[in-house]
Amino acid sequence: MEMNVSNTEEQVIAKKKSGLNPAFVLPILYVIALGIYIFILGNPSNFKVDERIAKSLSVAISDVPLKEIHPETFMGIIYMGGPIVHILILFMITVIIFSFERFFVIGKASGKGNLDSFVLEIRRLLNQNKIDEAIELCDSQRGSVGNVVKEGLLTYKALAKDTTLNKEQKMAALTKALEEATTLEMPMLERNMMILSTLGTVATLVALLGTVIGMIKAFFALGSGGGTPDAAALSIGISEALINTALGISTSAIAIILYNYFTSRIDGLTFKIDEIGMSIQQSFAEFH
């Protein structure tokens, strides 16, 4: 029993460590996002600068007055969205990176071969009380569903040989084993899903902040100048507002779509586990 407890604890630790660790990944992604904003989007080749200033310019584009900057490429237009842009870039990169991570982890959890065929074959073997063959099939499946089913089948075999428990106690023990095995697999499947869910909401709010800042600048330009609005400053403020809005909405939409996609896949795996669990319990009730 102590050995089983120790193995279970080791498995739990291993499941928790699977996948990317946000505490290490997010600071790296922030540096990358800032680098993209400064060196790629802010590259002087993306802008047309007044010749008089260009001749004396020996520093980065960020040191040029905004009124003298005229973006000539799409990347330059995005750069004009202001400092909030690099945060939205961070959100977009984070969504992409953790979506790839979830895609591979959930794909690995699905195991080898067709999952529906695996479920049907396990149910066929259970109906024939071929427990050893079912366990071998779980070993070849190598997924979360196979791991849970194998744990249930091993408990099935142990309880079938146990003469100290009555049938109700055996059924309760089998149900508990299946629930524990399922609980062991779920952290791996659901890890980092909260990041996608959070960014689906936060990206829009941060974009709204950038939009408000841009509109403040636009209205300030409209009200300054002694009755003659500063057209350049006005256009810069409006463009900053719209660029932040576009980046935030697109990031939020992608995050929500991917979150729902991965959630549906996890729900599908959980349903398969529950389906086979029911079959294991019915088989045990029938044959023992």
Side-chain angles (χ1 to χ4, degrees):
M1 180 65 68
E2 293 179 357
M3 181 68 70
N4 291 336
V5 172
S6 177
N7 290 336
T8 301
E9 291 177 350
E10 291 177 357
Q11 290 175 348
V12 171
I13 294 174
K15 298 296 182 184
K16 289 182 177 180
K17 289 183 178 180
S18 63
L20 297 176
N21 188 340
F24 292 102
V25 175
L26 290 179
I28 297 175
L29 294 182
Y30 178 80
V31 173
I32 294 174
L34 188 61
I36 291 174
Y37 176 73
I38 295 175
F39 299 109
I40 297 180
L41 299 181
N43 192 301
S45 63
N46 296 325
F47 305 90
K48 180 180 179 181
V49 183
D50 184 89
E51 293 183 0
R52 177 176 52 82
I53 297 179
K55 291 179 180 179
S56 61
L57 181 62
S58 59
V59 291
I61 195 71
S62 58
D63 294 323
V64 181
L66 288 177
K67 296 181 182 180
E68 308 297 339
I69 298 177
H70 307 285
E72 288 192 320
T73 66
F74 185 70
M75 289 188 292
I77 293 174
I78 296 176
Y79 180 84
M80 297 299 290
I84 300 294
V85 167
H86 84 279
I87 299 177
L88 294 173
I89 293 174
L90 168 64
F91 290 167
M92 179 64 79
I93 296 175
T94 302
V95 168
I96 294 172
I97 293 298
F98 282 97
S99 294
F100 273 111
E101 183 252 3
R102 286 296 86 198
F103 180 82
F104 287 114
V105 169
I106 295 177
K108 183 179 179 181
S110 299
K112 295 184 177 180
N114 185 276
L115 193 55
D116 292 328
S117 300
F118 171 75
V119 172
L120 292 174
E121 184 64 16
I122 287 292
R123 296 182 67 178
R124 184 185 68 81
L125 293 172
L126 287 172
N127 290 334
Q128 299 175 6
N129 199 30
K130 296 181 178 180
I131 306 304
D132 291 330
E133 289 84 345
I135 293 175
E136 292 177 2
L137 185 61
C138 292
D139 289 333
S140 63
Q141 202 269 342
R142 296 183 180 180
S144 293
V145 178
N147 293 338
V148 174
V149 175
K150 180 180 179 181
E151 187 65 28
L153 293 174
L154 291 174
T155 305
Y156 182 114
K157 287 185 63 177
L159 292 173
K161 298 176 182 179
D162 195 322
T163 58
T164 62
L165 301 176
N166 58 38
K167 189 170 183 177
E168 291 183 358
Q169 291 174 325
K170 290 181 179 181
M171 290 295 296
L174 181 59
T175 301
K176 182 179 179 181
L178 289 168
E179 290 176 350
E180 290 178 349
T182 302
T183 302
L184 184 64
E185 294 293 329
M186 292 310 294
M188 179 188 69
L189 297 176
E190 296 179 347
R191 180 179 173 85
N192 295 330
M193 288 292 292
M194 185 59 68
I195 292 177
L196 296 179
S197 175
T198 301
L199 291 181
T201 302
V202 173
T204 305
L205 296 177
V206 173
L208 181 61
L209 174 62
T211 301
V212 171
I213 293 175
M215 294 308 296
I216 290 174
K217 291 181 179 179
F219 282 112
F220 181 79
L222 189 63
S224 62
T228 304
D230 189 335
L234 179 62
S235 62
I236 289 173
I238 295 175
S239 64
E240 179 175 342
L242 296 178
I243 290 167
N244 281 284
T245 301
L247 286 175
I249 291 176
S250 59
T251 300
S252 178
I254 293 173
I256 292 173
I257 291 172
L258 291 173
Y259 174 80
N260 289 331
Y261 169 72
F262 292 127
T263 299
S264 66
R265 291 194 61 182
I266 293 173
D267 290 342
L269 292 176
T270 305
F271 176 77
K272 298 297 183 185
I273 291 173
D274 293 340
E275 183 180 357
I276 299 181
M278 289 284 292
S279 298
I280 293 175
Q281 293 171 332
Q282 291 173 359
S283 175
F284 188 86
E286 179 180 353
F287 292 102
H288 303 281

PDB file of all heavy atoms in Angstrom, residues 124-154:
ATOM      1  N   ARG A 124     -15.878  -4.469 -26.172  1.00  0.00           N
ATOM      2  CA  ARG A 124     -16.036  -5.835 -26.677  1.00  0.00           C
ATOM      3  C   ARG A 124     -15.280  -6.828 -25.801  1.00  0.00           C
ATOM      4  O   ARG A 124     -15.801  -7.907 -25.457  1.00  0.00           O
ATOM      5  CB  ARG A 124     -15.520  -5.918 -28.119  1.00  0.00           C
ATOM      6  CG  ARG A 124     -15.728  -7.286 -28.774  1.00  0.00           C
ATOM      7  CD  ARG A 124     -15.081  -7.331 -30.142  1.00  0.00           C
ATOM      8  NE  ARG A 124     -13.635  -7.271 -30.047  1.00  0.00           N
ATOM      9  CZ  ARG A 124     -12.853  -8.327 -29.763  1.00  0.00           C
ATOM     10  NH1 ARG A 124     -13.413  -9.517 -29.522  1.00  0.00           N
ATOM     11  NH2 ARG A 124     -11.554  -8.187 -29.706  1.00  0.00           N
ATOM     12  N   LEU A 125     -14.063  -6.463 -25.410  1.00  0.00           N
ATOM     13  CA  LEU A 125     -13.267  -7.346 -24.563  1.00  0.00           C
ATOM     14  C   LEU A 125     -13.892  -7.489 -23.177  1.00  0.00           C
ATOM     15  O   LEU A 125     -13.855  -8.565 -22.570  1.00  0.00           O
ATOM     16  CB  LEU A 125     -11.837  -6.812 -24.458  1.00  0.00           C
ATOM     17  CG  LEU A 125     -11.005  -6.850 -25.750  1.00  0.00           C
ATOM     18  CD1 LEU A 125      -9.678  -6.126 -25.557  1.00  0.00           C
ATOM     19  CD2 LEU A 125     -10.761  -8.300 -26.195  1.00  0.00           C
ATOM     20  N   LEU A 126     -14.458  -6.401 -22.668  1.00  0.00           N
ATOM     21  CA  LEU A 126     -15.114  -6.465 -21.362  1.00  0.00           C
ATOM     22  C   LEU A 126     -16.343  -7.373 -21.414  1.00  0.00           C
ATOM     23  O   LEU A 126     -16.609  -8.127 -20.468  1.00  0.00           O
ATOM     24  CB  LEU A 126     -15.512  -5.058 -20.909  1.00  0.00           C
ATOM     25  CG  LEU A 126     -14.369  -4.135 -20.448  1.00  0.00           C
ATOM     26  CD1 LEU A 126     -14.891  -2.722 -20.215  1.00  0.00           C
ATOM     27  CD2 LEU A 126     -13.724  -4.663 -19.165  1.00  0.00           C
ATOM     28  N   ASN A 127     -17.085  -7.314 -22.493  1.00  0.00           N
ATOM     29  CA  ASN A 127     -18.263  -8.172 -22.630  1.00  0.00           C
ATOM     30  C   ASN A 127     -17.888  -9.654 -22.659  1.00  0.00           C
ATOM     31  O   ASN A 127     -18.680 -10.526 -22.277  1.00  0.00           O
ATOM     32  CB  ASN A 127     -19.037  -7.816 -23.904  1.00  0.00           C
ATOM     33  CG  ASN A 127     -19.717  -6.464 -23.800  1.00  0.00           C
ATOM     34  OD1 ASN A 127     -20.035  -6.006 -22.704  1.00  0.00           O
ATOM     35  ND2 ASN A 127     -19.929  -5.817 -24.942  1.00  0.00           N
ATOM     36  N   GLN A 128     -16.643  -9.921 -23.098  1.00  0.00           N
ATOM     37  CA  GLN A 128     -16.155 -11.302 -23.132  1.00  0.00           C
ATOM     38  C   GLN A 128     -15.297 -11.645 -21.909  1.00  0.00           C
ATOM     39  O   GLN A 128     -14.724 -12.724 -21.856  1.00  0.00           O
ATOM     40  CB  GLN A 128     -15.343 -11.526 -24.409  1.00  0.00           C
ATOM     41  CG  GLN A 128     -16.137 -11.308 -25.694  1.00  0.00           C
ATOM     42  CD  GLN A 128     -15.280 -11.419 -26.939  1.00  0.00           C
ATOM     43  OE1 GLN A 128     -14.096 -11.768 -26.877  1.00  0.00           O
ATOM     44  NE2 GLN A 128     -15.865 -11.121 -28.099  1.00  0.00           N
ATOM     45  N   ASN A 129     -15.201 -10.659 -20.972  1.00  0.00           N
ATOM     46  CA  ASN A 129     -14.415 -10.833 -19.747  1.00  0.00           C
ATOM     47  C   ASN A 129     -12.940 -11.125 -20.038  1.00  0.00           C
ATOM     48  O   ASN A 129     -12.271 -11.855 -19.305  1.00  0.00           O
ATOM     49  CB  ASN A 129     -15.011 -11.957 -18.882  1.00  0.00           C
ATOM     50  CG  ASN A 129     -14.533 -11.875 -17.441  1.00  0.00           C
ATOM     51  OD1 ASN A 129     -14.240 -10.790 -16.929  1.00  0.00           O
ATOM     52  ND2 ASN A 129     -14.439 -13.018 -16.767  1.00  0.00           N
ATOM     53  N   LYS A 130     -12.408 -10.518 -21.095  1.00  0.00           N
ATOM     54  CA  LYS A 130     -10.997 -10.682 -21.446  1.00  0.00           C
ATOM     55  C   LYS A 130     -10.223  -9.487 -20.896  1.00  0.00           C
ATOM     56  O   LYS A 130      -9.859  -8.554 -21.619  1.00  0.00           O
ATOM     57  CB  LYS A 130     -10.839 -10.795 -22.963  1.00  0.00           C
ATOM     58  CG  LYS A 130     -11.502 -12.030 -23.569  1.00  0.00           C
ATOM     59  CD  LYS A 130     -11.279 -12.080 -25.079  1.00  0.00           C
ATOM     60  CE  LYS A 130     -11.895 -13.327 -25.684  1.00  0.00           C
ATOM     61  NZ  LYS A 130     -11.698 -13.391 -27.163  1.00  0.00           N
ATOM     62  N   ILE A 131      -9.955  -9.529 -19.617  1.00  0.00           N
ATOM     63  CA  ILE A 131      -9.351  -8.386 -18.925  1.00  0.00           C
ATOM     64  C   ILE A 131      -7.891  -8.204 -19.313  1.00  0.00           C
ATOM     65  O   ILE A 131      -7.428  -7.082 -19.539  1.00  0.00           O
ATOM     66  CB  ILE A 131      -9.495  -8.542 -17.406  1.00  0.00           C
ATOM     67  CG1 ILE A 131     -10.961  -8.772 -17.027  1.00  0.00           C
ATOM     68  CG2 ILE A 131      -8.947  -7.313 -16.697  1.00  0.00           C
ATOM     69  CD1 ILE A 131     -11.902  -7.690 -17.512  1.00  0.00           C
ATOM     70  N   ASP A 132      -7.147  -9.308 -19.397  1.00  0.00           N
ATOM     71  CA  ASP A 132      -5.727  -9.209 -19.742  1.00  0.00           C
ATOM     72  C   ASP A 132      -5.528  -8.625 -21.135  1.00  0.00           C
ATOM     73  O   ASP A 132      -4.625  -7.802 -21.354  1.00  0.00           O
ATOM     74  CB  ASP A 132      -5.068 -10.589 -19.654  1.00  0.00           C
ATOM     75  CG  ASP A 132      -4.973 -11.096 -18.221  1.00  0.00           C
ATOM     76  OD1 ASP A 132      -4.864 -10.250 -17.312  1.00  0.00           O
ATOM     77  OD2 ASP A 132      -5.023 -12.324 -18.020  1.00  0.00           O
ATOM     78  N   GLU A 133      -6.362  -9.051 -22.099  1.00  0.00           N
ATOM     79  CA  GLU A 133      -6.266  -8.502 -23.448  1.00  0.00           C
ATOM     80  C   GLU A 133      -6.603  -7.014 -23.455  1.00  0.00           C
ATOM     81  O   GLU A 133      -5.983  -6.224 -24.179  1.00  0.00           O
ATOM     82  CB  GLU A 133      -7.201  -9.250 -24.393  1.00  0.00           C
ATOM     83  CG  GLU A 133      -6.784 -10.671 -24.726  1.00  0.00           C
ATOM     84  CD  GLU A 133      -7.250 -11.669 -23.672  1.00  0.00           C
ATOM     85  OE1 GLU A 133      -7.644 -11.229 -22.555  1.00  0.00           O
ATOM     86  OE2 GLU A 133      -7.222 -12.877 -23.959  1.00  0.00           O
ATOM     87  N   ALA A 134      -7.561  -6.612 -22.629  1.00  0.00           N
ATOM     88  CA  ALA A 134      -7.931  -5.193 -22.540  1.00  0.00           C
ATOM     89  C   ALA A 134      -6.785  -4.371 -21.962  1.00  0.00           C
ATOM     90  O   ALA A 134      -6.531  -3.242 -22.409  1.00  0.00           O
ATOM     91  CB  ALA A 134      -9.182  -5.035 -21.694  1.00  0.00           C
ATOM     92  N   ILE A 135      -6.083  -4.921 -20.988  1.00  0.00           N
ATOM     93  CA  ILE A 135      -4.939  -4.218 -20.394  1.00  0.00           C
ATOM     94  C   ILE A 135      -3.836  -4.043 -21.426  1.00  0.00           C
ATOM     95  O   ILE A 135      -3.199  -2.977 -21.510  1.00  0.00           O
ATOM     96  CB  ILE A 135      -4.425  -4.973 -19.149  1.00  0.00           C
ATOM     97  CG1 ILE A 135      -5.468  -4.915 -18.027  1.00  0.00           C
ATOM     98  CG2 ILE A 135      -3.101  -4.388 -18.668  1.00  0.00           C
ATOM     99  CD1 ILE A 135      -5.105  -5.725 -16.806  1.00  0.00           C
ATOM    100  N   GLU A 136      -3.583  -5.075 -22.225  1.00  0.00           N
ATOM    101  CA  GLU A 136      -2.580  -4.971 -23.285  1.00  0.00           C
ATOM    102  C   GLU A 136      -2.964  -3.906 -24.307  1.00  0.00           C
ATOM    103  O   GLU A 136      -2.104  -3.169 -24.810  1.00  0.00           O
ATOM    104  CB  GLU A 136      -2.417  -6.326 -23.974  1.00  0.00           C
ATOM    105  CG  GLU A 136      -1.789  -7.397 -23.086  1.00  0.00           C
ATOM    106  CD  GLU A 136      -1.709  -8.741 -23.795  1.00  0.00           C
ATOM    107  OE1 GLU A 136      -2.116  -8.810 -24.980  1.00  0.00           O
ATOM    108  OE2 GLU A 136      -1.236  -9.711 -23.171  1.00  0.00           O
ATOM    109  N   LEU A 137      -4.238  -3.806 -24.592  1.00  0.00           N
ATOM    110  CA  LEU A 137      -4.711  -2.785 -25.524  1.00  0.00           C
ATOM    111  C   LEU A 137      -4.492  -1.384 -24.957  1.00  0.00           C
ATOM    112  O   LEU A 137      -4.144  -0.453 -25.692  1.00  0.00           O
ATOM    113  CB  LEU A 137      -6.195  -3.011 -25.827  1.00  0.00           C
ATOM    114  CG  LEU A 137      -6.826  -2.089 -26.883  1.00  0.00           C
ATOM    115  CD1 LEU A 137      -6.128  -2.259 -28.233  1.00  0.00           C
ATOM    116  CD2 LEU A 137      -8.317  -2.381 -27.022  1.00  0.00           C
ATOM    117  N   CYS A 138      -4.670  -1.224 -23.654  1.00  0.00           N
ATOM    118  CA  CYS A 138      -4.426   0.069 -23.001  1.00  0.00           C
ATOM    119  C   CYS A 138      -2.955   0.455 -23.082  1.00  0.00           C
ATOM    120  O   CYS A 138      -2.614   1.630 -23.277  1.00  0.00           O
ATOM    121  CB  CYS A 138      -4.869   0.018 -21.543  1.00  0.00           C
ATOM    122  SG  CYS A 138      -6.644  -0.118 -21.307  1.00  0.00           S
ATOM    123  N   ASP A 139      -2.063  -0.554 -22.932  1.00  0.00           N
ATOM    124  CA  ASP A 139      -0.626  -0.284 -23.030  1.00  0.00           C
ATOM    125  C   ASP A 139      -0.248   0.217 -24.414  1.00  0.00           C
ATOM    126  O   ASP A 139       0.625   1.082 -24.562  1.00  0.00           O
ATOM    127  CB  ASP A 139       0.166  -1.551 -22.700  1.00  0.00           C
ATOM    128  CG  ASP A 139       0.091  -1.909 -21.219  1.00  0.00           C
ATOM    129  OD1 ASP A 139      -0.095  -0.985 -20.406  1.00  0.00           O
ATOM    130  OD2 ASP A 139       0.209  -3.102 -20.885  1.00  0.00           O
ATOM    131  N   SER A 140      -0.896  -0.304 -25.437  1.00  0.00           N
ATOM    132  CA  SER A 140      -0.593   0.117 -26.808  1.00  0.00           C
ATOM    133  C   SER A 140      -1.237   1.457 -27.157  1.00  0.00           C
ATOM    134  O   SER A 140      -0.769   2.161 -28.048  1.00  0.00           O
ATOM    135  CB  SER A 140      -1.055  -0.954 -27.802  1.00  0.00           C
ATOM    136  OG  SER A 140      -2.465  -1.126 -27.741  1.00  0.00           O
ATOM    137  N   GLN A 141      -2.309   1.827 -26.452  1.00  0.00           N
ATOM    138  CA  GLN A 141      -2.993   3.084 -26.731  1.00  0.00           C
ATOM    139  C   GLN A 141      -2.189   4.289 -26.271  1.00  0.00           C
ATOM    140  O   GLN A 141      -2.139   5.326 -26.924  1.00  0.00           O
ATOM    141  CB  GLN A 141      -4.372   3.088 -26.072  1.00  0.00           C
ATOM    142  CG  GLN A 141      -5.357   4.057 -26.688  1.00  0.00           C
ATOM    143  CD  GLN A 141      -5.348   5.431 -26.024  1.00  0.00           C
ATOM    144  OE1 GLN A 141      -4.859   5.609 -24.914  1.00  0.00           O
ATOM    145  NE2 GLN A 141      -5.901   6.414 -26.710  1.00  0.00           N
ATOM    146  N   ARG A 142      -1.565   4.203 -25.091  1.00  0.00           N
ATOM    147  CA  ARG A 142      -0.630   5.202 -24.578  1.00  0.00           C
ATOM    148  C   ARG A 142      -1.220   6.611 -24.510  1.00  0.00           C
ATOM    149  O   ARG A 142      -0.611   7.587 -24.941  1.00  0.00           O
ATOM    150  CB  ARG A 142       0.643   5.228 -25.424  1.00  0.00           C
ATOM    151  CG  ARG A 142       1.432   3.938 -25.365  1.00  0.00           C
ATOM    152  CD  ARG A 142       2.718   4.047 -26.160  1.00  0.00           C
ATOM    153  NE  ARG A 142       3.486   2.823 -26.113  1.00  0.00           N
ATOM    154  CZ  ARG A 142       4.653   2.656 -26.725  1.00  0.00           C
ATOM    155  NH1 ARG A 142       5.165   3.658 -27.435  1.00  0.00           N
ATOM    156  NH2 ARG A 142       5.287   1.510 -26.638  1.00  0.00           N
ATOM    157  N   GLY A 143      -2.406   6.723 -23.999  1.00  0.00           N
ATOM    158  CA  GLY A 143      -3.030   8.029 -23.831  1.00  0.00           C
ATOM    159  C   GLY A 143      -3.679   8.131 -22.469  1.00  0.00           C
ATOM    160  O   GLY A 143      -3.659   7.187 -21.676  1.00  0.00           O
ATOM    161  N   SER A 144      -4.272   9.296 -22.182  1.00  0.00           N
ATOM    162  CA  SER A 144      -4.927   9.485 -20.895  1.00  0.00           C
ATOM    163  C   SER A 144      -6.087   8.519 -20.701  1.00  0.00           C
ATOM    164  O   SER A 144      -6.296   7.987 -19.614  1.00  0.00           O
ATOM    165  CB  SER A 144      -5.432  10.925 -20.777  1.00  0.00           C
ATOM    166  OG  SER A 144      -4.359  11.830 -20.727  1.00  0.00           O
ATOM    167  N   VAL A 145      -6.852   8.287 -21.781  1.00  0.00           N
ATOM    168  CA  VAL A 145      -7.963   7.341 -21.687  1.00  0.00           C
ATOM    169  C   VAL A 145      -7.434   5.949 -21.374  1.00  0.00           C
ATOM    170  O   VAL A 145      -7.963   5.246 -20.503  1.00  0.00           O
ATOM    171  CB  VAL A 145      -8.778   7.323 -22.994  1.00  0.00           C
ATOM    172  CG1 VAL A 145      -9.900   6.296 -22.908  1.00  0.00           C
ATOM    173  CG2 VAL A 145      -9.347   8.703 -23.277  1.00  0.00           C
ATOM    174  N   GLY A 146      -6.370   5.538 -22.072  1.00  0.00           N
ATOM    175  CA  GLY A 146      -5.774   4.231 -21.812  1.00  0.00           C
ATOM    176  C   GLY A 146      -5.226   4.110 -20.407  1.00  0.00           C
ATOM    177  O   GLY A 146      -5.349   3.042 -19.776  1.00  0.00           O
ATOM    178  N   ASN A 147      -4.633   5.190 -19.883  1.00  0.00           N
ATOM    179  CA  ASN A 147      -4.086   5.150 -18.526  1.00  0.00           C
ATOM    180  C   ASN A 147      -5.185   4.936 -17.487  1.00  0.00           C
ATOM    181  O   ASN A 147      -5.037   4.149 -16.556  1.00  0.00           O
ATOM    182  CB  ASN A 147      -3.344   6.452 -18.225  1.00  0.00           C
ATOM    183  CG  ASN A 147      -2.095   6.606 -19.066  1.00  0.00           C
ATOM    184  OD1 ASN A 147      -1.548   5.629 -19.566  1.00  0.00           O
ATOM    185  ND2 ASN A 147      -1.634   7.835 -19.236  1.00  0.00           N
ATOM    186  N   VAL A 148      -6.289   5.669 -17.651  1.00  0.00           N
ATOM    187  CA  VAL A 148      -7.397   5.540 -16.698  1.00  0.00           C
ATOM    188  C   VAL A 148      -8.021   4.160 -16.785  1.00  0.00           C
ATOM    189  O   VAL A 148      -8.291   3.514 -15.767  1.00  0.00           O
ATOM    190  CB  VAL A 148      -8.459   6.629 -16.965  1.00  0.00           C
ATOM    191  CG1 VAL A 148      -9.681   6.406 -16.069  1.00  0.00           C
ATOM    192  CG2 VAL A 148      -7.879   8.013 -16.721  1.00  0.00           C
ATOM    193  N   VAL A 149      -8.245   3.692 -18.008  1.00  0.00           N
ATOM    194  CA  VAL A 149      -8.872   2.379 -18.193  1.00  0.00           C
ATOM    195  C   VAL A 149      -7.975   1.280 -17.643  1.00  0.00           C
ATOM    196  O   VAL A 149      -8.458   0.341 -16.996  1.00  0.00           O
ATOM    197  CB  VAL A 149      -9.172   2.140 -19.684  1.00  0.00           C
ATOM    198  CG1 VAL A 149      -9.710   0.728 -19.902  1.00  0.00           C
ATOM    199  CG2 VAL A 149     -10.172   3.162 -20.190  1.00  0.00           C
ATOM    200  N   LYS A 150      -6.671   1.402 -17.875  1.00  0.00           N
ATOM    201  CA  LYS A 150      -5.748   0.386 -17.363  1.00  0.00           C
ATOM    202  C   LYS A 150      -5.792   0.331 -15.838  1.00  0.00           C
ATOM    203  O   LYS A 150      -5.803  -0.752 -15.247  1.00  0.00           O
ATOM    204  CB  LYS A 150      -4.320   0.691 -17.833  1.00  0.00           C
ATOM    205  CG  LYS A 150      -3.306  -0.337 -17.338  1.00  0.00           C
ATOM    206  CD  LYS A 150      -1.901  -0.006 -17.819  1.00  0.00           C
ATOM    207  CE  LYS A 150      -0.908  -1.029 -17.286  1.00  0.00           C
ATOM    208  NZ  LYS A 150       0.487  -0.727 -17.729  1.00  0.00           N
ATOM    209  N   GLU A 151      -5.820   1.507 -15.198  1.00  0.00           N
ATOM    210  CA  GLU A 151      -5.895   1.538 -13.740  1.00  0.00           C
ATOM    211  C   GLU A 151      -7.175   0.870 -13.253  1.00  0.00           C
ATOM    212  O   GLU A 151      -7.176   0.122 -12.274  1.00  0.00           O
ATOM    213  CB  GLU A 151      -5.821   2.986 -13.251  1.00  0.00           C
ATOM    214  CG  GLU A 151      -5.728   3.132 -11.742  1.00  0.00           C
ATOM    215  CD  GLU A 151      -4.449   2.569 -11.174  1.00  0.00           C
ATOM    216  OE1 GLU A 151      -3.431   2.547 -11.889  1.00  0.00           O
ATOM    217  OE2 GLU A 151      -4.474   2.118 -10.004  1.00  0.00           O
ATOM    218  N   GLY A 152      -8.289   1.139 -13.960  1.00  0.00           N
ATOM    219  CA  GLY A 152      -9.548   0.507 -13.596  1.00  0.00           C
ATOM    220  C   GLY A 152      -9.521  -0.992 -13.789  1.00  0.00           C
ATOM    221  O   GLY A 152     -10.040  -1.756 -12.961  1.00  0.00           O
ATOM    222  N   LEU A 153      -8.883  -1.446 -14.867  1.00  0.00           N
ATOM    223  CA  LEU A 153      -8.811  -2.886 -15.142  1.00  0.00           C
ATOM    224  C   LEU A 153      -7.902  -3.611 -14.150  1.00  0.00           C
ATOM    225  O   LEU A 153      -8.184  -4.752 -13.761  1.00  0.00           O
ATOM    226  CB  LEU A 153      -8.321  -3.113 -16.571  1.00  0.00           C
ATOM    227  CG  LEU A 153      -9.279  -2.657 -17.681  1.00  0.00           C
ATOM    228  CD1 LEU A 153      -8.618  -2.793 -19.045  1.00  0.00           C
ATOM    229  CD2 LEU A 153     -10.577  -3.449 -17.628  1.00  0.00           C
ATOM    230  N   LEU A 154      -6.804  -2.964 -13.750  1.00  0.00           N
ATOM    231  CA  LEU A 154      -5.931  -3.570 -12.745  1.00  0.00           C
ATOM    232  C   LEU A 154      -6.656  -3.708 -11.408  1.00  0.00           C
ATOM    233  O   LEU A 154      -6.522  -4.717 -10.710  1.00  0.00           O
ATOM    234  CB  LEU A 154      -4.660  -2.730 -12.579  1.00  0.00           C
ATOM    235  CG  LEU A 154      -3.695  -2.731 -13.771  1.00  0.00           C
ATOM    236  CD1 LEU A 154      -2.549  -1.751 -13.531  1.00  0.00           C
ATOM    237  CD2 LEU A 154      -3.142  -4.140 -14.013  1.00  0.00           C
TER     238      LEU A 154
END
